[in-house]
Amino acid sequence: MEYGISTAGSFSQDSSQRSVPEVLFQPSELGILERYSIIKEIYKVQLSPTIVSLAAHNDTKQAVIKKSIRKDMLIGQTQHDYARQECIIQAQLKHENVVELYDYTENEKEFVLLMEYCNDAGYFEDKIENRLTPIKNQEKLQQYGFDILTGLSYVHSQGIIHSDLKLQNALLQRPSEDDSQAGELPVVKICDFGLSHLVSETNGKAHMSYRCGTNGYIAPEIKPKDTLIGPEIDMWAFGVMLYEMCTAYKPTNLSNYRYGSGPIPFRDRDWKKHSKHVQDLILQCLQVDPSKRILPEDALQHPWFEQTF
Ligand SMILES: Nc1ncnc2c1ncn2[C@@H]1O[C@H](COP(=O)(O)OP(=O)(O)OP(=O)(O)O)[C@@H](O)[C@H]1O
Ligand SMILES: [Mg+2]
């Protein structure tokens, strides 16, 4: 397996797991921030160390995203290590379905990531979680699912478990009007590697010290402390995302359903317009036993992607 992570450096995610590859944290010189001007803040919430702003390069005017992680709001060394690791991991990932990190730096107040800007980043969150509108267009649904799985397959091939896959971390990039007329489709890109884990070369697993992720997306095998996790946890989260895209709610929103307490509920009236194939793919993702869960590569071969509408 290839990891795409430099093995020369001194930072490892979890000192209790020696088999995790050591990686190099190489922030750029501080001067890089002076080359960008902030246009507007786009994400700032209470109690979060993260501020995301739209910025532009002073000379080229290229739009970029500046993500600042404020050190005074990080609790303990572990959270500092996660922030460092976010920079290292994202810097190594280059794929059309993953948000590209152009550069990163660190000063006494913050870690700063400069990355590719997605022009309709809030699309899934706004439509599905805020406006409670499912995606009815089956071709779009297929395309979004395909993009996320393609990105995820690449991320896993680099020895990385995203560990916080959810609608808010799937950003949409829409083509310009000209490109759209020429047939170019929107592209989904995976972002936010702030909770990611590097797998060990020996067993393909990573040690998760404390349960992390987002409620409703956390795979059932993740224990409160000390879980040996595999990339399968991301496929569970993907299953929840796909279910949400189809219905605008998570399975756990239905009459207090709890994962593992019975078959995944599919309420007839919400699935009339959707194919049986997409339901089947969701079921293969939401297998409680991680060894039975479908892998991204196999999911990309699922008959749903062959279906025409
Ligand atoms: N490349 C990008 N292009 C456009 N918008 C972005 C980009 N990256 C992040 N955002 C916006 O900022 C939001 C927060 O970014 P991100 O997910 O990286 O932070 P976070 O680590 O989740 O923050 P928190 O610490 O609060 O959990 C995203 O959900 C998205 O709306
Ligand atoms: Mg996020």
Side-chain angles (χ1 to χ4, degrees), residues 233-304:
I233 68 163
D234 288 338
M235 283 308 284
W236 177 278
F238 172 75
V240 177
M241 289 169 82
L242 195 53
Y243 187 108
E244 267 189 296
M245 286 182 182
C246 292
T247 62
Y249 55 84
K250 296 183 184 71
T252 42
N253 289 25
L254 276 185
S255 57
N256 300 323
Y257 172 74
R258 279 161 158 237
Y259 292 128
S261 67
I264 302 292
F266 290 98
R267 199 166 59 182
D268 277 352
R269 66 169 185 265
D270 301 321
W271 292 89
K272 281 201 183 99
K273 301 242 161 67
H274 294 297
S275 98
K276 289 284 171 220
H277 286 310
V278 73
Q279 273 192 21
D280 180 73
L281 176 54
I282 290 169
L283 283 173
Q284 294 202 49
C285 296
L286 298 182
Q287 286 287 328
V288 172
D289 178 350
S291 69
K292 298 201 178 118
R293 219 169 281 153
I294 195 166
L295 300 168
E297 300 72 43
D298 296 331
L300 286 165
Q301 303 297 324
H302 190 279
W304 178 46

Side-chain angles (χ1 to χ4, degrees), residues 30-268:
L30 287 171
I32 62 159
L33 291 182
E34 282 148 32
R35 292 184 215 140
Y36 295 89
S37 305
I38 302 288
I39 299 170
K40 60 174 178 184
E41 225 167 59
I42 57 178
Y43 177 85
K44 186 177 183 183
V45 291
Q46 251 191 342
L47 302 178
S48 166
T50 304
I51 300 175
V52 176
S53 312
L54 176 63
H57 190 278
N58 292 337
D59 302 332
T60 65
K61 307 295 175 212
Q62 186 196 359
V64 298
I65 285 291
K66 178 183 175 204
K67 175 171 175 175
S68 305
I69 305 174
R70 288 168 294 171
K71 291 184 175 174
D72 60 347
M73 300 196 54
L74 296 174
I75 305 157
Q77 190 56 39
T78 312
Q79 288 201 358
H80 275 77
D81 289 349
Y82 269 110
R84 266 194 201 101
Q85 176 156 292
E86 176 170 359
C87 301
I88 299 163
I89 286 180
Q90 211 178 335
Q92 306 282 334
L93 296 173
K94 303 279 178 234
H95 188 276
E96 159 149 67
N97 300 113
V98 175
V99 170
E100 182 173 345
L101 185 68
Y102 300 133
D103 218 335
Y104 63 92
T105 189
E106 179 189 9
N107 59 34
E108 68 282 3
K109 289 208 178 104
E110 57 190 6
F111 294 99
V112 181
L113 294 87
L114 293 161
M115 63 182 106
E116 176 183 14
Y117 165 58
C118 294
N119 58 12
D120 199 5
Y123 172 74
F124 295 112
E125 189 180 5
D126 289 346
K127 182 180 172 83
I128 297 166
E129 296 216 328
N130 301 340
R131 290 187 282 115
L132 305 178
T133 317
I135 296 169
K136 297 199 187 84
N137 182 315
Q138 300 298 300
E139 277 140 4
K140 284 189 184 164
L141 199 58
Q142 264 178 339
Q143 188 61 47
Y144 298 148
F146 197 85
D147 280 359
I148 298 168
L149 284 172
T150 308
L152 197 56
S153 168
Y154 168 76
V155 168
H156 290 174
S157 76
Q158 302 303 299
I160 291 156
I161 307 173
H162 184 285
S163 318
D164 194 21
L165 208 61
K166 55 179 171 176
L167 290 177
Q168 288 89 342
N169 290 337
L171 312 184
L172 199 65
Q173 173 66 45
R174 292 195 184 277
S176 67
E177 212 165 291
D178 285 354
D179 290 342
S180 173
Q181 273 169 9
E184 205 173 296
L185 296 170
V187 177
V188 188
K189 294 178 187 263
I190 299 172
C191 79
D192 192 1
F193 291 84
L195 292 177
S196 295
H197 291 77
L198 296 168
V199 303
S200 138
E201 280 182 65
T202 46
N203 61 4
K205 305 269 181 200
H207 176 237
M208 185 185 271
S209 321
Y210 290 92
R211 172 156 44 211
C212 66
T214 301
N215 278 342
Y217 294 96
I218 300 177
E221 66 269 23
I222 300 178
K223 299 190 283 284
K225 273 178 86 175
D226 294 321
T227 316
L228 205 55
I229 54 161
E232 310 87 36
I233 68 163
D234 288 338
M235 283 308 284
W236 177 278
F238 172 75
V240 177
M241 289 169 82
L242 195 53
Y243 187 108
E244 267 189 296
M245 286 182 182
C246 292
T247 62
Y249 55 84
K250 296 183 184 71
T252 42
N253 289 25
L254 276 185
S255 57
N256 300 323
Y257 172 74
R258 279 161 158 237
Y259 292 128
S261 67
I264 302 292
F266 290 98
R267 199 166 59 182
D268 277 352

